[in-house]
Amino acid sequence: MSSLPSLALLAILLLSAAVIWVAGIRLSDYTDVLAERLHLGAALGGVILLAVATNLPEIAITVSAAASGQLEVAVGNLLGGIAIQTVVLVVLDAAGVRPRAPLTYLAASLPLVLEGGLVVAVLLTVVAGTQLPADLVVARLTPDTVLIAVLWVAGLLLIQRAGRSLPWSDRGEAPGGQQVPRGHSQRRQEDKATRNGVTTTRAVVVFGVAAVVTLVAGVTIEQSGDAYFGRLGLSGVLFGATVLAAATALPEVSTGLTAARNGDYKLAIGDIFGGNAFLPVLFLVATLVSGKSVLPDAQKSDIYLTALGGLLTVVYMAGLIFRPQRQIARLGPDSIVVLALYAVGVAGLVALQ
């Protein structure tokens, strides 16, 4: 694509983003239908299915970038994606909450705090992996990426257990928050599909087509965007952490808004935290595809983005615990802090470049 005119590259970039948005809506809807009909629900299989479905653009970009040797774009997109997907919660707080109250006040529960803790734990493992020798590769695997994957699965199992029972009053649920069970919006989506005569076969076909379209759009948006913004002087790291990360976060915006507007605030936050915990697992994919150790070659900006993602997550974890009730400009105090920190963080990233 590097030989195309800039206007053509920009058109492909915008078209790819639009495709990701539309396909992401279909993926979200039919993920809920399949999770309910296959009796996955909030079980481990359902969580993994949703994490994979909403992060298909990141999967496509990681594979494409690793295969072409542009590991810095893959790393910047994944770590920048965690930060910007956390900022998606600001959008949900402003546009998705009914009645008006801070998102974390309504969604507060100890299992969600644990999900945020898993994100931070995985990010700390990423930082540790950057300090390992670059030649520590065996059978196209490295210990840091394997540990990240194991930690992710173990964390999901603990969170699933916490969702069933905790030795706390009200099973770790806060009073005055969301009254209906987490995941009720998924059942509502499945009921709607049943009333409309959508068969399981059709759901599988639509899901598959939307997945393929999203994967293709993910590759084209990475290639066209890298070429276009490269001509504007934007480095691969900065492009991956900002423009590309924002474009690939569109499925999370769609999924989160749907859940929040249906009153499933816990699911909205859980999907964001779950997706953020899953993204570093893709470093394992990048290592398998490239045959190289990814994290030891991380740049300062990559470690910087890792810290920023962890910091934003901790702010929302604090919001879930302290449950602020006051809003300013339709946002909870935690969302305002996250927005300010992200703006400062991007300014710092520009300074690093």
Side-chain angles (χ1 to χ4, degrees):
M1 285 193 183
S2 57
S3 61
L4 293 176
S6 296
L7 189 60
L9 290 173
L10 180 59
I12 294 173
L13 175 68
L14 295 176
L15 179 61
S16 298
V19 168
I20 289 174
W21 172 261
V22 174
I25 294 174
R26 307 303 289 174
L27 274 173
S28 171
D29 292 344
Y30 284 90
T31 297
D32 293 343
V33 173
L34 290 175
E36 288 298 314
R37 293 190 179 178
L38 297 178
H39 305 292
L40 299 176
L44 186 61
V47 173
I48 294 175
L49 177 64
L50 184 62
V52 171
T54 56
N55 286 292
L56 281 172
E58 287 85 355
I59 294 173
I61 290 167
T62 299
V63 173
S64 174
S68 61
Q70 295 179 306
L71 290 175
E72 72 280 359
V73 174
V75 174
N77 178 55
L78 292 178
L79 297 178
I82 292 172
I84 205 163
Q85 284 184 188
T86 308
V87 177
V88 168
L89 291 175
V90 176
V91 178
L92 304 187
D93 197 3
V97 177
R98 303 287 188 278
R100 298 309 311 168
L103 180 64
T104 49
Y105 177 83
L106 295 171
S109 68
L110 289 180
L112 280 179
V113 177
L114 290 176
E115 292 184 39
L118 176 59
V119 176
V120 175
V122 170
L123 291 179
L124 290 174
T125 308
V126 169
V127 174
T130 64
Q131 305 304 306
L132 293 177
D135 58 354
L136 200 59
V137 182
V138 180
R140 303 179 76 89
L141 293 172
T142 58
D144 48 358
T145 56
V146 172
L147 179 58
I148 288 171
V150 171
L151 181 62
W152 176 64
V153 173
L156 289 184
L157 292 173
L158 287 175
I159 291 167
Q160 291 297 308
R161 180 178 177 181
R164 291 191 299 269
S165 63
L166 278 175
W168 293 75
S169 61
D170 296 324
R171 297 173 57 190
E173 303 297 336
Q178 179 177 321
Q179 299 299 313
V180 289
R182 173 176 172 174
H184 73 91
S185 61
Q186 292 178 317
R187 290 187 291 274
R188 183 183 301 179
Q189 187 64 39
E190 196 281 329
D191 290 340
K192 179 181 177 182
T194 300
R195 290 194 303 270
N196 291 336
V198 177
T199 64
T200 302
T201 301
R202 178 183 172 184
V204 171
V205 171
V206 174
F207 178 88
V209 171
V212 172
V213 169
T214 303
L215 287 170
V216 173
V219 174
T220 57
I221 200 172
E222 183 268 325
Q223 294 180 351
S224 60
D226 189 44
Y228 177 76
F229 285 99
R231 294 177 186 178
L232 299 180
L234 196 66
S235 70
V237 173
L238 193 57
F239 163 68
T242 54
V243 178
L244 191 58
T248 55
L250 291 175
E252 284 77 11
V253 176
S254 170
T255 303
L257 282 175
T258 300
R261 286 173 175 170
N262 286 331
D264 209 340
Y265 309 115
K266 295 174 185 176
L267 182 66
I269 294 181
D271 286 350
I272 296 297
F273 282 171
N276 285 349
F278 172 74
L279 283 179
V281 178
L282 296 180
F283 286 127
L284 178 61
V285 177
T287 302
L288 287 169
V289 172
S290 66
K292 300 177 181 179
S293 184
V294 177
L295 292 178
D297 291 331
Q299 303 178 35
K300 289 182 179 180
S301 55
D302 298 324
I303 301 174
Y304 177 90
L305 287 169
T306 305
L308 178 61
L311 179 61
L312 300 183
T313 303
V314 169
V315 172
Y316 272 121
M317 290 171 64
L320 289 168
I321 294 172
F322 287 99
R323 303 185 69 208
Q325 298 187 50
R326 185 180 178 185
Q327 286 184 302
I328 303 173
R330 300 175 67 91
L331 291 174
D334 42 11
S335 291
I336 294 174
V337 171
V338 163
L339 196 59
L341 287 175
Y342 184 74
V344 173
V346 171
L349 185 62
V350 173
L352 276 177
Q353 298 302 306

